[in-house]
Amino acid sequence: MIELGTKIPKPYPVSLAPMMDWTDRHFRYLFRMISKHTFLYTEMIHTGAILRGDRKRFLSYNPEELPLAIQLGGDNPSSLAECSKISEDYGYSEVNLNVGCPSDRVREGNFGACLMETPEKVAELAAAMDAAVSIPITVKCRIGIPGKESFEDLYRFVETVKSAGVKRFIIHARIAILGGLSPAQNRQIPPLRYADVEEIKQNFPDLIVEINGGIRTYAEIEERLKKNDGVMIGRAAYETPFLFSELDSLFFQDDTLSLSRREILIRMQDYIDRFLRNDTNSKPHFVLKHLLGLFHAEKGARSYRRILTEKMFSDYSRDLLIEATREIPDSALDFIPSQKKNRNSAELESTVFPS
Ligand SMILES: Cc1cc2nc3c(=O)[nH]c(=O)nc-3n(C[C@H](O)[C@H](O)[C@H](O)COP(=O)(O)O)c2cc1C
């Protein structure tokens, strides 16, 4: 008999999707300078990595990243329960179970999207996790998999998993094709079916339902929020992060943050200095690669990307960011989105990036 959980996850209108190799702690630190309030997720971490691997490396994060959910992958109730407890002790805000990854390797391990085949199994996993912690357990899934792709299948999945106490579902509005399509194709080829997710919200008004997939602009976020509790943004936030610097003022009623890109780069340089000093295995490109999209569509962006790409791996020096931004006009470096104006260079807190 499954016990009903009692923990209510906080509602967040916008979250940043878990993305393997992309949303690591360095990118999340960067994104926090763009939005203080967007709910962040780690990349998926398999229970085996936590229980048998370098736990500190997998679980450490910067306190600035909170509120932050950890996403776990696995199919063993006691391992997932143990990892949930460890994650709670590390201070994570929520534990999320991956029921959406379509990769062959993940399918061979019997976790990720293939778990949508067996909602009772997901309920068992979620119940074990829920019993181990006092933070919320949530689920990120697809709208279906082949053979279980009707709305009725999705309804049954949500109804069954809800009975284990799960109150936040993040639903990627595409089915996952298991075998035959790569993970990248699985984020592009199956058509988006937003209506299915919206209908889940209508049928389960007490659940927090977040919609994910193909959402790239403020207008699209606004549109989707009419019928869902939250929107999860993935690729767009990684590829063009600065386009999202009005998230706090538009969706969280807070325009106190608002940093220009020059200020962000100053802080990232300090961050890189600290990272290189404190972690002997660190390399500058672990952080710098996440800065490549910062000047998307601005004059000088191509030269910025080229210089960073050419030099971050083997020719790094502390002048690299200054060199890379040489062709970026001050108007782009100092622009503050929420105020639609440029920061006076005298207001800058450091001289690392002289204007
Ligand atoms: C590089 C990459 C890695 C991803 N890794 C994960 C992951 O670890 N866990 C997960 O649930 N989804 C993962 N996803 C899927 C995203 O979380 C998201 O569901 C998908 O990209 C659709 O959202 P979007 O259209 O806004 O990008 C990944 C996506 C990308 C592009």
Side-chain angles (χ1 to χ4, degrees), residues 218-229:
Y218 294 133
E220 287 167 3
I221 295 173
E222 220 157 35
E223 185 57 29
R224 301 271 70 87
L225 283 177
K226 288 179 186 160
K227 293 190 175 166
N228 302 278
D229 300 303

Side-chain angles (χ1 to χ4, degrees), residues 22 27 216 234-241 292-294 296 305:
W22 286 14
F27 183 74
R216 300 195 74 91
R235 288 162 290 182
Y238 187 83
E239 289 158 6
T240 59
L292 287 169
L294 202 56
H296 171 80
R305 285 183 73 94

